[in-house]
Amino acid sequence: MTTINNARRRFMIQSGLGLLALSGMPSFLQAMEAMKEMPRILARKANPNFKADVEFDLYCKPSKVSILTGAETQVLQYSAVLKKGPKETLVDIPSSYLGPIIRLQQGQKVRIVLHNGLSQVSVTHWHGLHVPAEMDGHPMYAIDSGGTLVYEFEVLNRAGMNIYHPHPHEATAKQVYQGLAGALFVHDEEEAKLELPTGEYEIPIVIQDRSFDEQNQLIYVRNKHDRMLGFYGDRILVNGQSDVRVDVASRAYRLRILNGSNARIYKLAWDDGTPITVIGVDGGLLEQPEVKSYVMLAPGERLDVWADFSGRSVGSQLVMRSLAFTGVLPSMAQGMGIMMHANDLPVGSDYPIFKVRVTQSVSDSPKLPAKLSSFPRYHTKDVANPEKPVPIAISESPMAMLLNGRAYADNDFQEFERIKLNTLQLIEIFHAHGGMGMGHKGGGMGMMGGMMSMAHPIHLHGQQFQIISRSVSSEKASDYETVRHGFIESGLKDTVLVMPGESVRIIKPFQDFKGVFMYHCHNLEHEDMGMMREFLVE
Ligand code: C2O
Ligand code: CU
């Protein structure tokens, strides 16, 4: 007991919670108060020596869209105007609050001028892109209402689906929830050679959940559980619309799926038992297709799916569902029925996401390539720290959501958060229970730890990583059974779902750019509560 108390005291002092604990504030506010103010760097101007191939203005501002029947819904929305480059660079999604689809080619030099038309500070992050630290949308670059921010970078990524979304200090979740997000595709030659379905045969599927009040307006966080567990809406939207049905021809399609929800985790499967053919994940195409009976998709993760409707008759329907699973929420919360309150769509229940209807019969369909791509594999023998993985210790308590024992604070690098440029690092993500900080693995799981533990999609900014191994504690093994076949380890990732009791080893490169790169939980409420830290690459 003594050790726990000491550790707890140390934790309280470190995180500044000691004093606040006396003040009677709700604990979720205490956790947020404990974070330091974010210093800001003055907005930069365009660099005249940067010769952009593609240039556009990106606006974020309040808007209204029709989502449900009846009144329009007030949202925040991205829009863009192309100033230079191919006109396919920007494609609006009609009557959606989602931002335009951005399509970039590997090797392009891109200049984007962000205009903040919100009444609050904001900054945009290119989730998945490997760009210089100053161009990554770190909250220290946030701009005030009316301000502008210039981004200039070369597209180094391989082909893949990425996301752009706001990343301001403590306000990411709310701005995303209100509508600010969009898909950003990178294309390259390796992908082009495959002649995968394009144009109308390549369909973006951005899955989000939202709650609406009687006036069709968005409802957001109502109480501390909505923050602690993340916010779950009771209505599934696809590309910003409700009850979506996609009309297709009887041929192969490429579905580019993104979980753009704040917190909700999906277990995707076709309702008739057709397996899901996965051709890519966060960091682009796999080496070869993987066929899965279901796929888990956590916030921030992407999935590239080959969906072949050939041979299906006109009028036939197929539904993509989220199947039942257990264990992603704290058992305590589930036991107390917290998740059930005012929510008709419990996490882990079985519900439809969108419908596909075959409306046209065609005889011609592309064939699925047996070999998709090749990319470098990382090996433990090549990492800079084979014996000493960089820890990412997850700890959750009613007091605070932490990584490596600390809430987010700028310029607060612990020794292992300083990374040498151009190294490969072995990283271990695991649960450290009781807020004791890094270095102590959950192992036996204290009573509190076990009950509070939940799943966290951990996202690392910068280059994509490779998953090396996963292991789960025996206490959590039966819940884990309900999700374990839904993970894809053969591709490059930037977000990985870490289940309760699970520990995941990854290898991540830190090449090309020095500076500050964040890592955090992509349960956006958790991120805003401070479950975020950063690496200093030097
Ligand atoms: Cu998609 Cu740091 O975020
Ligand atoms: Cu989390």
Side-chain angles (χ1 to χ4, degrees), residues 228-229 394 396 401 403 454-458 520-527 531:
M228 287 284 304
L229 305 175
I394 297 169
E396 65 264 277
M401 294 288 179
L403 291 179
M454 61 180 286
H456 302 272
I458 302 297
H520 59 87
C521 184
H522 220 279
N523 175 315
L524 297 180
E525 283 72 31
H526 290 177
E527 172 186 338
M531 195 174 239

Side-chain angles (χ1 to χ4, degrees), residues 430-455:
F430 57 93
H431 293 262
H433 288 295
M436 279 179 284
M438 49 131 330
H440 305 274
K441 285 213 200 176
M445 275 208 212
M447 188 175 72
M448 195 56 186
M451 289 197 309
M452 281 303 299
S453 192
M454 61 180 286

Side-chain angles (χ1 to χ4, degrees), residues 4-43:
I4 291 174
N5 282 335
N6 281 339
R8 174 132 197 102
R9 194 167 312 122
R10 202 164 51 228
F11 151 74
M12 302 270 282
I13 291 164
Q14 268 173 10
S15 57
L17 286 173
L19 286 172
L20 287 163
L22 300 171
S23 71
M25 285 167 98
S27 55
F28 69 101
L29 282 181
Q30 286 171 18
M32 303 197 42
E33 286 294 310
M35 282 190 272
K36 284 194 281 172
E37 266 290 297
M38 172 56 61
R40 302 239 306 274
I41 288 178
L42 271 189

Side-chain angles (χ1 to χ4, degrees), residues 192-332:
K193 284 199 192 108
L194 295 172
E195 297 183 343
L196 297 170
T198 55
E200 62 182 298
Y201 306 117
E202 183 195 20
I203 306 179
I205 303 275
V206 179
I207 308 171
Q208 296 175 307
D209 56 337
R210 295 291 183 266
S211 285
F212 297 85
D213 67 15
E214 247 100 83
Q215 284 75 48
N216 287 353
Q217 301 310 308
L218 292 168
I219 298 174
Y220 189 51
V221 170
R222 295 151 298 197
N223 53 48
K224 68 176 175 188
H225 302 304
D226 285 347
R227 274 204 174 273
M228 287 284 304
L229 305 175
F231 186 81
Y232 300 90
D234 54 15
R235 200 180 263 274
I236 300 298
L237 305 183
V238 167
N239 299 338
Q241 282 144 358
S242 144
D243 300 310
V244 165
R245 195 187 71 205
V246 184
D247 289 346
V248 300
S250 59
R251 53 160 281 156
Y253 280 73
R254 187 178 182 192
L255 305 181
R256 313 294 303 265
I257 306 178
L258 153 65
N259 182 351
S261 311
N262 280 32
R264 187 176 286 271
I265 296 165
Y266 304 94
K267 178 178 178 175
L268 301 177
W270 293 115
D271 70 330
D272 68 348
T274 303
I276 298 186
T277 303
V278 179
I279 60 172
V281 289
D282 309 355
L285 292 167
L286 306 180
E287 288 177 322
Q288 60 227 15
E290 271 201 49
V291 176
K292 307 289 268 180
S293 53
Y294 63 87
V295 181
M296 299 304 297
L297 201 67
E301 288 187 303
R302 289 86 79 199
L303 203 61
D304 200 342
V305 168
W306 177 273
D308 194 349
F309 308 112
S310 3
R312 290 186 185 261
S313 52
V314 170
S316 60
Q317 292 206 10
L318 197 60
V319 180
M320 183 159 276
R321 300 186 71 84
S322 184
L323 302 182
F325 59 96
T326 57
V328 306
L329 288 176
S331 44
M332 198 166 71

